[in-house]
Amino acid sequence: MIPEDFKQQLQQHIAGVEHPREKVMDVIFMLQDRFGYLSDELLEDAASLLKMTPLEVEEIATFYEFIYRRPVGGHVIHVCDGVVCWMSGYTAILDHLRGRLGIDFGETTPDGRFTLLPTCCIGYCDRAPAMMINRKVYGNLTPKRIDEILEKLGWDITGKRDDTGSL
Amino acid sequence: MTQVLFKNRHPDRIATMEEYRAGGGYDALTAVLGKYPRSKVQQLALDAVLLGRGGAGFPAGKKWMTVAETAPFPRYMVCNADEMEPGTFKDRVLIHTDPHQIIEGMVIVGYSVMAERGIIFIRASYENAARILEREIERATTAGFLGDNILGSGFSMKISVHRSAGRYICGENTAQINAIQGKRANPIQPPPYATEKGLWNLPTVTHNVETLACVPHIIRNGPEWFKSLAAIPTAAGTKLYCVSGAVQHPGCFELPMGTRLSDIIENHAGGMQAGCAYKTCLPGGASTRFLPKSLYDIEMDFDTMKKAGHRLGTGSIIVFDEKTCLVGATLNMMAFFARESCGWCTPCREGLPYMRDILARIEAGDGKPEDIPLLRQMSKYVWNSYCALAPGAASPVESLLTYFEDEVQEHIHQHQCPFSSKG
Amino acid sequence: MPKLIIDGRHIEVAPGVKVIAAAEQAGIMIPRFCYHPALGSAGACRMCAVKFLEGPVHGLQMSCMMEAKDGMVVSTTDDEAVDFRRFVIELLMRNHPHDCPVCDEGGHCLLQDETVSSGHVMRRHIGKKRTHRDQYLGELIQHEMNRCIHCYRCRRFYQDFCGYHDFGAMGSANRTCFGRYADGPLENPFSGNLIDICPTGVLTDKPARFKGRRWDFERAPSLCIHCSLGCATIVSARYRELVRVEARHNPAVNGHFICDRGRFGFGFANHSNRPHHARIAPAAATYADALQAAVNQLTEISRTFGSQAIGTVSSSRAGMETLMALKILASAQQWRSPSCFQDARQRNAVVSAVIRLSPDTAVCLHDVECSDHILVIAADPIAEAPMLALALRQAWRDGARVTVLDPRPVSLPCEYTHIPVAPKQLSAVLQKLMNALLSSPDTPQFPPLRTSDDAHNAGTVSSPSCDPKPDTALQLPLLAASLQSSQRPVIVCGTNIVSGTVVNAAADLVMQLRASRKNAGIFNILPGANAFGAAIASPDGASFSEILTAIESGEIQALLIAESNPVRWFPDRARIRNAFKKLKLLVALDYLPTPVLDVAHIIFPTQTHFETPAVFINQEGRMQQTSMVHCNGMPLSQQTAGKHPPREFRHDVPGAGAKPAWQVLLELNAALSAVNTPLPSYSELWEQIEQETGIAIDRRPDSDILEGRRLRLETQVHLPETPPPDTPPPINLQEDMSLELYPVESFCGTEELSAYAPILCRMEPMPELIMHPSDAAGCGLTDGGMVTIQSDAVTLDVRLKTAAGTATGTAFLPRHRQLVWRQAGSTDSRASLLQK
Ligand SMILES: Cc1cc2nc3c(=O)[nH]c(=O)nc-3n(C[C@H](O)[C@H](O)[C@H](O)COP(=O)(O)O)c2cc1C
Ligand code: SF4
Ligand code: FES
């Protein structure tokens, strides 16, 4: 259930346009940013706010890369697999991330904090290799820089899992 | 080198509206609104030979003229900031450099077609840019350059930012129109054209970020000035060239349209990385053809490229060195295109994964000699697709087989990737 | 008119026609998957590629995306085109399962055909195929997503053509799949068409699964008789069992589609309780014995009480042959002429509708699609004539306006204006509308009509309670103006809840619009597949309530009921039961296991319109004939209780005791006649029908019988000049607040034949009593709660549904199979409502 005040916020956002469905993407992002992923329940709520059927929202939601219809971790890491990053050490970066997090593409760390996903060229080819975490971009990646980023996000890169860390 | 779009470029910050105005920003708007007839604005763009920078190179002024005087209202102006072509990042750099020229461009084009609603369609990975645009739209509105009755001209325009959730096909302007309407982003083949029936079946003009950014400068300085910016007489304006890959200093450079490729790579991108030798490049993003070495000196503009059988595309140069496996690179791009197909038409939805699988087998050393004619035939046949995505996707494959067949043959005969240490 | 050459054939087509359609006109079938004449072009499959050799375009192009233009020279057989199409097939087959032998579409699969014809025979694809999870889409359609070739026909049909949004495309790229958001039955009452339009085996007929291959079936063109529209079907049968019904293309009527009631409602023909043998109650009898017994008893009754003591009853589900044979029998024996309608109101409404139809004003369903303003009066299209709703949507998609004047909360798959008007107020509202039409300047008035007499206006206009409500009154001038500004208005008029007065007023409106040079038409909806025929056969027959009165008074001593079940539709079951008990003889002929058969003394099983040719006249006066699909008999599955093959061998066809009803009736006539009357054959019967009514079936080899043919309305139909007077409306609820209860139709659960179809019975919604929220509040009732309808006769429990779109002062109860609604009381009884 969407809290009442948040629902009003969404409604207000939708009311700004003539055709509510123009805002489907914004509503999905707003829900996702707040609740992590677009659960069935949220999708159905979004549909009723947007005066669409759940199927119509699903038609959109399943089309895109950055809409998560399944639970994801608190930090979603999208590693750019564009051709420039591929040329510039993507494989090494990915292997490093896999090793550090102990997960593969499509997986979430057991503590639910990190999800690893690929993404296509994110337009940071001048800073390849690059990745995105929660829609923030990190470029010129090296194993060292990845460790720094992960540590900043509260991940114990020595392998000890810090379960008390907040998301 | 004359810097027009990047005049206010700072290494670490965005130009402010005040800076933009100090350099003549919004003067064009003031000059045009309520004073120029629509047709004059259109004629100026036409005379300046402003060609769409989104990849197709269609004359901008001509596009505006297709919005009939009698066409219904409201009309829409869409700024295409989807920029998902691999290797391309000029729109991002432009937004992070001097966003007000885009806003001013949108209002001027909006005025020329009487569009009262502007929408900036931006990809999900450009969240920062989206926020910048939202903030600057707010400022421009406060300053009276946007909103109701702009500068007392009677013309009103509102601009909003529409975030996409990431699909390459959303950059295609008709698919984008569907996406904005909250529909599945399948393209729509004309007729009717979007300028006649676009968003909500109303006239809609779509332009790339860079195209729009050129517009105020053309108005202010005139078409002749714009044409004189180019390196060669047959081209016009400057161009934002993105260079990435095996070069010393990858980046986005504003250079005269028609600058030679060799010049761009050697003098602006710092030449090849240490220990790397130039093999080829994709001159306009992943959907263009690999350039043979013989064209290393080619002038990079729409016309010259076309005459040479190539495409300028987005002018985003991806440089490959001798140690990079082109089969692997092509496979990477084909995987991208196959994943980003909208799924509407057969050649694209089924053909691209088929080509991807064959390339993957070749790269893995499982290729067969008959794969080459098969790939060749497919890269020809996927041209008969519904939109331009699949032909773009086929370009690297087709040019790989045309200019680098030996490399492919080597994979097949050696039963492994000859570059297997890399990539 | 563009002229072009395709494969050397010169053709001229209308402007705007696509090359693929132009080729079809020239007899060239260009391969296709996504293109469908009803759904238009999508350009998705790329299968229709042809080579343009000369003219405005050149090279390989999709023929479905190209408009035919002057000077085009097109080759469909060009090497490049042929090879490209083979390539498309290769791509489509890459992920398609290679299991045609066990696929339900095998043998009638477009993909299979085009794969074979394209020459793609060897698989080059290596590796796994794409797989999907199948969904449960309800009882009607089986989903096998792995077979999908992504032509998008299903989504385009479901969402664009029909306007329903619970089925669509999900995912993207080569992960795109088609289905619902979650497992569950499809909401679209036209969903069955997905089976026909899916070019491969993704969406198949679920009830027909494992019943046989296309080539195993006996297949013949037929008609749907589940409403008065008469949609064209193709019916398949095997082992004496009907297996499936598909839509047949009839451009004038149903186009390419039919509704789910028509597609899945055929179960009555296979019903396990269907009578297969004659009976002299309580025992089975040979046909000859039953005939002799009937002859003896009828003769006896006629001798004792006079021939008028014998009444005859039929219904609008009986074919023309049966109705006319009954009429011939009744008039030869001087019995009472057949009664085909429930009550005087219904007969009056139908006869008025038939009388007022003229060659000028009658329009077909396709004309409705082409109309630019449709005014629907007293009709609930989805319930009463489902395909009309789809036609309204197509008209609306083309820019037409749709306005509904009906007391029910009618819902349509398009945008429309609904003005709720109580049935009793409808004629006054129509009068006001007429006045508004007339009051606009320079409106010529149409000449007074024979039926536009004062009689049918009097009763309604004078009553003060019948004045339209102020908001309705406000909408009428707007409606009038909109009708005035239209070019091709169509007025749809129902006959289910109104009397002839309203039907006449609707026809008057059409005449008025025609007087203002509009190409206006009338489209009536009648109660039953052959209601039109029943009005022709028996325009003056007594209503069934009059028959009952005659039984009660002893005037009628024997009743012959041919293919009719008054117990189902007559609103007073107790009265029927008592009346039937009084009868000396009840003879019943039917193919349905109706309750009439339970009480009849002599029973003759009859054949369905799948087993014998039968003619039905639809609501626009279009005469259509069914053909024999299979021979009558007990389905093998019933005979062997599912075991196969049968263990018992015999020479006759098991359970084949039924004859066409008309034949039984004519044999009865021959046996009853003193002089030796020869037994007419089918064509002799038709000669007789032609003599009596002027209606003839076309026996020429090039006859248009598949599309049917509209009767030359004015010359052939002999109907009374003035329709009989109105009768009062149905049951009065809650005397103190004048709430009227109308029994109405719903899409599923009320129609007589489909109520015997087990699949539809499983799907039908629970019956609900519908009324306006304020009326409900006035009675102290709440939405969703159970209420009791209490009358002298009976107590009826039903769930209440309030809907703001309902006209106040009215309540509606479906004539639902599960509801003994007919116990609610007789037409003039009063009942009260109580919350449970
Ligand atoms: C598959 C595909 C992707 C495209 N992506 C973009 C894009 O990301 N940005 C863009 O400006 N144009 C893109 N285009 C081109 C647009 O369709 C359109 O031509 C352009 O936005 C028009 O703007 P312009 O006239 O300023 O070039 C794409 C085209 C195709 C076929
Ligand atoms: S489900 Fe069938 S009809 Fe629908 S798109 Fe797929 S293949 Fe076509
Ligand atoms: S029929 Fe023309 S593309 Fe499918």
Side-chain angles (χ1 to χ4, degrees):
Chain A
M1 264 294 284
I2 309 178
E4 199 47 45
D5 55 336
F6 190 50
K7 194 174 195 164
Q8 276 171 13
Q9 204 180 319
L10 292 168
Q11 268 161 345
Q12 225 167 5
H13 191 77
I14 296 165
V17 290
E18 193 189 338
H19 309 276
R21 54 190 304 157
E22 186 181 330
K23 290 292 173 197
V24 59
M25 208 70 82
D26 284 359
V27 168
I28 292 175
F29 273 140
M30 285 163 88
L31 290 169
Q32 202 167 266
D33 287 349
R34 174 138 174 176
F35 300 101
Y37 79 106
L38 189 68
S39 64
D40 288 356
E41 199 185 38
L42 290 174
L43 184 145
E44 286 155 28
D45 287 343
S48 76
L49 285 170
L50 293 157
K51 303 204 167 38
M52 293 164 80
T53 64
L55 178 269
E56 287 176 291
V57 179
E58 184 79 324
E59 285 194 317
I60 308 297
T62 53
F63 191 86
Y64 292 100
E65 176 161 24
F66 289 104
I67 297 174
Y68 312 127
R69 281 290 279 119
R70 275 184 270 165
V72 287
H75 304 295
V76 186
I77 306 182
H78 283 273
V79 188
C80 174
D81 64 10
V83 64
V84 181
C85 288
W86 169 83
M87 246 197 292
S88 319
Y90 156 81
T91 319
I93 295 301
L94 180 61
D95 285 346
H96 189 75
L97 271 168
R98 280 184 181 139
R100 281 288 186 251
L101 296 170
I103 52 172
D104 210 334
F105 271 149
E107 294 176 352
T108 300
T109 51
D111 61 359
R113 289 165 63 196
F114 289 90
T115 297
L116 196 59
L117 289 170
T119 182
C120 58
C121 173
I122 51 178
Y124 280 79
C125 316
D126 50 345
R127 297 188 219 159
M131 67 180 182
M132 249 170 78
I133 305 181
N134 306 340
R135 278 193 280 160
K136 184 173 177 335
V137 177
Y138 301 84
N140 295 324
L141 294 177
T142 56
K144 188 163 161 279
R145 192 157 144 65
I146 288 178
D147 286 349
E148 284 165 18
I149 295 164
L150 290 181
E151 280 194 301
K152 228 202 225 131
L153 295 173
W155 187 257
D156 181 1
I157 57 161
T158 58
K160 282 178 278 157
R161 298 285 174 262
D162 173 15
D163 280 331
T164 55
S166 60
L167 290 184
Chain B
M1 208 65 67
T2 320
Q3 296 290 285
V4 179
L5 306 180
F6 281 172
K7 184 166 60 186
N8 296 323
R9 192 176 191 184
H10 302 283
D12 51 355
R13 67 174 181 85
I14 300 159
T16 61
M17 184 166 73
E18 289 67 35
E19 261 174 289
Y20 178 63
R21 289 184 67 180
Y26 287 113
D27 286 359
L29 187 68
T30 319
V32 163
L33 281 199
K35 295 170 191 133
Y36 284 22
R38 288 180 45 182
S39 56
K40 182 168 175 192
V41 184
Q42 297 172 352
Q43 195 59 45
L44 285 174
L46 207 59
D47 291 347
V49 200
L50 175 60
L51 304 181
R53 304 300 200 235
F58 188 81
K62 211 162 160 185
K63 194 185 277 186
W64 312 342
M65 285 173 179
T66 59
V67 180
E69 201 73 50
T70 53
F73 291 96
R75 302 172 186 176
Y76 294 87
M77 155 89 256
V78 177
C79 167
N80 188 345
D82 197 47
E83 194 162 69
M84 286 189 63
E85 178 78 25
T88 310
F89 47 90
K90 63 189 179 66
D91 297 346
R92 183 201 94 218
V93 175
L94 193 51
I95 296 167
H96 282 263
T97 298
D98 202 358
H100 281 277
Q101 46 190 343
I102 303 161
I103 296 171
E104 187 181 4
M106 280 183 82
V107 183
I108 294 172
V109 179
Y111 171 76
S112 92
V113 297
M114 302 308 280
E116 298 202 348
R117 241 203 100 184
I119 295 167
I120 303 178
F121 186 94
I122 193 159
R123 63 181 300 187
S125 26
Y126 286 178
E127 181 57 28
N128 279 349
R131 293 202 183 144
I132 291 168
L133 286 167
E134 278 172 341
R135 190 185 65 212
E136 300 307 319
I137 286 167
E138 192 76 41
R139 288 189 181 151
T141 310
T142 314
F145 299 125
L146 263 180
D148 289 334
N149 190 13
I150 301 170
L151 303 173
S153 66
F155 177 70
S156 306
M157 186 173 186
K158 289 195 174 65
I159 298 181
S160 58
V161 174
H162 185 105
R163 286 169 175 77
S164 176
R167 275 298 164 223
Y168 174 58
I169 188 61
C170 296
E172 201 282 337
N173 74 325
T174 57
Q176 191 163 89
I177 281 167
N178 272 334
I180 294 173
Q181 296 176 89
K183 299 185 187 166
R184 287 171 64 81
N186 299 122
I188 315 156
Q189 198 166 297
Y193 285 89
T195 46
E196 188 192 322
K197 281 190 170 176
L199 283 169
W200 321 111
N201 277 328
L202 293 161
T204 304
V205 173
T206 300
H207 274 299
N208 176 254
V209 173
E210 185 186 347
T211 317
L212 289 168
C214 293
V215 172
H217 304 285
I218 293 174
I219 302 288
R220 216 174 54 236
N221 302 309
E224 288 314 314
W225 164 85
F226 190 73
K227 285 203 277 194
S228 72
L229 292 172
I232 52 172
T234 50
T238 59
K239 176 80 193 81
L240 302 184
Y241 297 100
C242 304
V243 190
S244 60
V247 292
Q248 279 291 359
H249 304 301
C252 180
F253 312 100
E254 182 178 20
L255 300 170
M257 180 73 97
T259 307
R260 287 183 192 279
L261 173 64
S262 50
D263 185 13
I264 299 174
I265 293 179
E266 285 162 21
N267 301 325
H268 300 280
M272 297 300 289
Q273 281 169 13
C276 291
Y278 174 86
K279 174 148 82 175
T280 182
C281 77
L282 289 164
S287 64
T288 55
R289 302 175 71 221
F290 287 112
L291 271 192
K293 253 192 188 146
S294 57
L295 294 180
Y296 183 54
D297 267 334
I298 193 166
E299 286 153 349
M300 293 279 287
D301 71 287
F302 288 107
D303 213 35
T304 317
M305 293 295 284
K306 196 169 163 193
K307 284 194 181 120
H310 287 266
R311 267 191 341 112
L312 178 65
T314 57
S316 303
I317 304 155
I318 307 174
V319 179
F320 297 89
D321 70 317
E322 288 288 1
K323 280 180 291 187
T324 301
C325 171
L326 292 187
V327 175
T330 309
L331 166 61
N332 171 287
M333 289 183 280
M334 193 47 85
F336 162 82
F337 288 119
R339 196 170 61 191
E340 297 300 315
S341 160
C342 79
W344 181 256
C345 72
T346 311
C348 180
R349 185 191 59 246
E350 308 291 341
L352 304 188
Y354 198 0
M355 294 168 87
R356 176 201 60 204
D357 292 353
I358 295 170
L359 284 167
R361 280 205 304 277
I362 295 174
E363 175 67 0
D366 297 330
K368 286 180 286 191
E370 59 266 33
D371 287 342
I372 293 185
L374 181 56
L375 276 177
R376 235 187 218 123
Q377 186 203 33
M378 284 204 281
S379 25
K380 177 169 151 239
Y381 277 158
V382 299
W383 271 77
N384 297 304
S385 59
Y386 189 79
C387 81
L389 189 147
S395 296
V397 185
E398 175 274 320
S399 51
L400 173 76
L401 296 171
T402 305
Y403 304 119
F404 302 95
E405 186 181 339
D406 290 352
E407 205 174 307
V408 187
Q409 294 283 9
E410 240 180 294
H411 279 77
I412 294 173
H413 293 129
Q414 293 180 14
H415 296 292
Q416 66 165 14
C417 173
F419 306 83
S420 36
S421 61
K422 194 170 171 171
Chain C
M1 299 279 278
K3 291 195 186 86
L4 67 166
I5 302 172
I6 305 179
D7 289 348
R9 295 184 208 185
H10 293 253
I11 25 171
E12 188 169 347
V13 294
V17 166
K18 297 287 194 315
V19 171
I20 195 169
E24 215 168 308
Q25 280 181 33
I28 301 163
M29 195 69 173
I30 298 177
R32 82 282 304 271
F33 292 115
C34 64
Y35 172 81
H36 185 285
L39 307 177
S41 305
C45 73
R46 319 308 275 180
M47 191 60 198
C48 65
V50 296
K51 187 81 162 271
F52 288 74
L53 305 172
E54 279 171 42
V57 277
H58 284 265
L60 204 64
Q61 298 287 348
M62 300 310 130
S63 57
C64 73
M65 300 301 284
M66 284 287 159
E67 271 181 20
K69 289 271 153 63
D70 253 335
M72 280 180 166
V73 178
V74 180
S75 166
T76 72
T77 54
D78 175 271
D79 284 350
E80 190 188 346
V82 169
D83 195 52
F84 176 73
R85 296 200 301 256
R86 187 210 50 73
F87 169 67
V88 170
I89 286 287
E90 177 173 4
L91 292 182
L92 293 175
M93 288 306 292
R94 209 168 87 92
N95 282 303
H96 189 88
H98 289 227
D99 62 350
C100 300
V102 297
C103 171
D104 271 290
E105 193 82 355
H108 60 256
C109 174
L110 192 61
L111 179 63
Q112 198 176 37
D113 293 348
E114 296 196 346
T115 301
V116 171
S117 64
S118 78
H120 170 68
V121 284
M122 290 306 289
R123 176 148 90 116
R124 281 192 281 191
H125 166 74
I126 302 170
K128 291 183 179 173
K129 295 198 174 211
R130 172 179 63 213
T131 56
H132 296 272
R133 192 181 73 82
D134 297 335
Q135 281 184 316
Y136 170 77
L137 299 179
E139 291 300 304
L140 306 180
I141 295 177
Q142 180 68 32
H143 189 224
E144 280 184 72
M145 189 53 214
N146 289 352
R147 305 188 192 284
C148 183
I149 55 164
H150 302 81
C151 66
Y152 287 78
R153 274 188 186 182
C154 51
R155 182 180 187 271
R156 284 149 62 216
F157 172 76
Y158 206 92
Q159 297 197 5
D160 305 344
F161 198 87
C162 298
Y164 289 80
H165 295 277
D166 61 310
F167 178 99
M170 289 162 288
S172 70
N174 63 343
R175 299 170 308 278
T176 306
C177 61
F178 297 85
R180 277 173 51 86
Y181 166 66
D183 283 20
L186 296 165
E187 290 163 13
N188 183 344
F190 308 97
S191 67
N193 295 297
L194 294 173
I195 299 163
D196 293 353
I197 58 171
C198 176
T200 169
V202 181
L203 302 163
T204 53
D205 192 319
K206 195 171 196 172
R209 293 189 99 200
F210 315 129
K211 295 261 169 74
R213 292 299 200 176
R214 184 67 129 242
W215 57 80
D216 294 325
F217 294 149
E218 296 170 84
R219 255 177 125 231
S222 189
L223 289 175
C224 173
I225 62 166
H226 296 277
C227 85
S228 63
L229 297 181
C231 295
T233 60
I234 300 177
V235 178
S236 297
R238 193 187 190 197
Y239 298 143
R240 302 189 293 272
E241 182 172 344
L242 241 54
V243 176
R244 70 186 284 187
V245 169
E246 291 154 89
R248 175 164 60 85
H249 184 221
N250 186 340
V253 181
N254 53 311
H256 289 86
F257 306 118
I258 55 173
C259 77
D260 287 357
R261 191 206 286 170
R263 185 181 299 268
F264 299 105
F266 61 81
F268 66 89
N270 300 333
H271 202 279
S272 54
N273 292 337
R274 228 189 110 172
H276 290 292
H277 297 286
R279 290 175 74 83
I280 305 171
T286 65
Y287 178 79
D289 288 351
L291 193 73
Q292 196 52 56
V295 168
N296 293 347
Q297 295 188 42
L298 286 163
T299 315
E300 177 62 28
I301 288 168
S302 180
R303 191 176 320 121
T304 320
F305 300 96
S307 62
Q308 284 289 304
I310 300 172
T312 57
V313 176
S314 190
S315 76
S316 56
R317 78 168 144 94
M320 229 29 219
E321 296 85 352
T322 301
L323 290 171
M324 290 305 295
L326 185 61
K327 186 181 172 144
I328 290 165
L329 168 65
S331 79
Q333 305 304 326
Q334 289 165 0
W335 299 344
R336 292 179 181 237
S337 54
S339 151
C340 297
F341 297 102
Q342 302 165 23
D343 51 36
R345 181 208 59 79
Q346 191 189 57
R347 179 189 56 204
N348 178 3
V350 174
V351 171
S352 304
V354 169
I355 291 175
R356 293 302 301 273
L357 219 50
S358 73
D360 294 340
T361 58
V363 293
C364 65
L365 203 53
H366 178 69
D367 297 325
V368 174
E369 290 183 349
C370 303
S371 166
D372 57 353
H373 190 143
I374 302 141
L375 172 61
V376 179
I377 300 169
D380 180 356
I382 292 271
E384 297 172 356
M387 284 302 290
L388 172 63
L390 217 44
L392 292 176
R393 177 168 171 88
Q394 305 325 311
W396 168 77
R397 287 173 77 201
D398 253 6
R401 302 176 58 123
V402 178
T403 312
V404 181
L405 285 174
D406 188 274
R408 288 161 284 187
V410 170
S411 128
L412 290 174
C414 63
E415 276 174 31
Y416 59 101
T417 312
H418 181 209
I419 309 175
V421 184
K424 269 190 172 169
Q425 295 172 346
L426 262 169
S427 47
V429 165
L430 294 183
Q431 187 59 51
K432 286 216 153 61
L433 182 59
M434 177 67 101
N435 292 342
L437 280 179
L438 288 170
S439 67
S440 73
D442 57 57
T443 305
Q445 194 177 350
F446 77 94
L449 267 155
R450 48 177 181 160
T451 45
S452 178
D453 55 55
D454 298 342
H456 75 250
N457 284 331
T460 40
V461 179
S462 58
S463 158
S465 72
C466 291
D467 253 11
K469 285 205 297 299
D471 51 337
T472 308
L474 277 178
Q475 282 168 295
L476 292 179
L478 291 176
L479 175 57
S482 168
L483 282 169
Q484 285 286 23
S485 67
S486 68
Q487 294 306 310
R488 302 173 306 280
V490 167
I491 296 198
V492 172
C493 189
T495 49
N496 199 11
I497 53 168
V498 291
S499 63
T501 313
V502 167
V503 177
N504 275 309
D508 288 349
L509 279 177
V510 171
M511 296 311 290
Q512 178 55 45
L513 288 165
R514 290 185 74 82
S516 345
R517 287 178 299 281
K518 308 267 168 251
N519 191 5
I522 182 117
F523 190 89
N524 295 310
I525 303 173
L526 303 182
N530 202 19
F532 199 108
I536 294 171
S538 160
D540 48 355
S543 73
F544 189 71
S545 50
E546 287 159 349
I547 297 267
L548 285 183
T549 313
I551 298 173
E552 283 154 355
S553 69
E555 284 169 58
I556 290 182
Q557 294 288 335
L559 204 57
L560 182 82
I561 303 185
E563 298 186 345
S564 172
N565 176 14
V567 179
R568 177 166 178 78
W569 39 253
F570 191 75
D572 188 344
R573 175 175 270 190
R575 195 173 156 212
I576 287 200
R577 199 187 296 125
N578 293 332
F580 279 5
K581 273 193 202 135
K582 279 197 73 180
L583 284 173
K584 294 228 154 35
L585 176 66
L586 178 58
V587 181
L589 292 71
D590 215 328
Y591 51 80
L592 289 180
T594 71
V596 175
L597 302 195
D598 298 340
V599 295
H601 303 112
I602 301 175
I603 294 160
F604 295 97
T606 64
Q607 297 184 354
T608 64
H609 66 298
F610 305 119
E611 295 152 8
T612 178
V615 165
F616 293 84
I617 303 176
N618 81 352
Q619 37 64 252
E620 47 145 334
R622 181 177 302 267
M623 189 161 116
Q624 306 181 99
Q625 190 180 30
T626 71
S627 21
M628 181 176 151
V629 179
H630 66 157
C631 73
N632 168 261
M634 179 187 274
L636 185 71
S637 60
Q638 288 168 23
Q639 187 207 348
T640 62
K643 291 194 205 79
H644 177 77
R647 303 287 172 224
E648 176 202 348
F649 297 93
R650 45 200 274 192
H651 291 290
D652 62 333
V653 179
K659 292 190 177 192
W662 62 265
Q663 204 175 330
V664 179
L665 294 168
L666 293 181
E667 283 183 26
L668 211 47
N669 189 31
L672 281 164
S673 301
V675 280
N676 205 358
T677 317
L679 197 60
S681 67
Y682 185 71
S683 49
E684 282 161 355
L685 169 64
W686 269 104
E687 278 164 25
Q688 219 167 326
I689 295 175
E690 184 170 359
Q691 276 169 22
E692 290 233 356
T693 62
I695 302 171
I697 50 169
D698 199 341
R699 279 178 293 264
R700 286 167 304 167
D702 61 341
S703 83
D704 45 13
I705 202 70
L706 282 184
E707 283 182 18
R709 175 171 43 90
R710 191 179 291 144
L711 303 179
R712 276 172 290 122
L713 297 156
E714 80 285 46
T715 56
Q716 289 166 325
V717 185
H718 307 299
L719 291 167
E721 276 294 292
T722 321
D726 281 353
T727 43
I731 309 154
N732 287 310
L733 286 172
Q734 301 295 95
E735 197 171 349
D736 46 330
M737 60 179 294
S738 79
L739 198 57
E740 281 165 7
L741 178 68
Y742 291 83
V744 292
E745 300 305 314
S746 62
F747 180 72
C748 231
T750 62
E751 189 266 328
E752 181 178 10
L753 294 165
S754 59
Y756 288 93
I759 311 155
L760 291 189
C761 291
R762 259 181 277 148
M763 291 174 36
E764 70 202 4
M766 286 302 290
E768 286 170 322
L769 175 70
I770 294 169
M771 58 169 81
H772 194 274
S774 67
D775 284 343
C779 304
L781 307 175
T782 49
D783 183 39
M786 289 300 285
V787 296
T788 303
I789 302 172
Q790 181 90 56
S791 77
D792 302 344
V794 88
T795 323
L796 199 64
D797 292 332
V798 64
R799 195 167 297 284
L800 177 73
K801 186 181 155 193
T802 63
T806 319
T808 49
T810 60
F812 300 93
L813 193 63
R815 296 188 168 96
H816 201 284
R817 191 178 64 85
Q818 295 179 33
L819 206 73
V820 196
W821 61 271
R822 44 201 172 263
Q823 295 186 352
S826 66
T827 43
D828 45 37
S829 88
R830 293 185 183 279
S832 54
L833 282 173
L834 309 163
Q835 179 98 44
K836 258 212 143 170

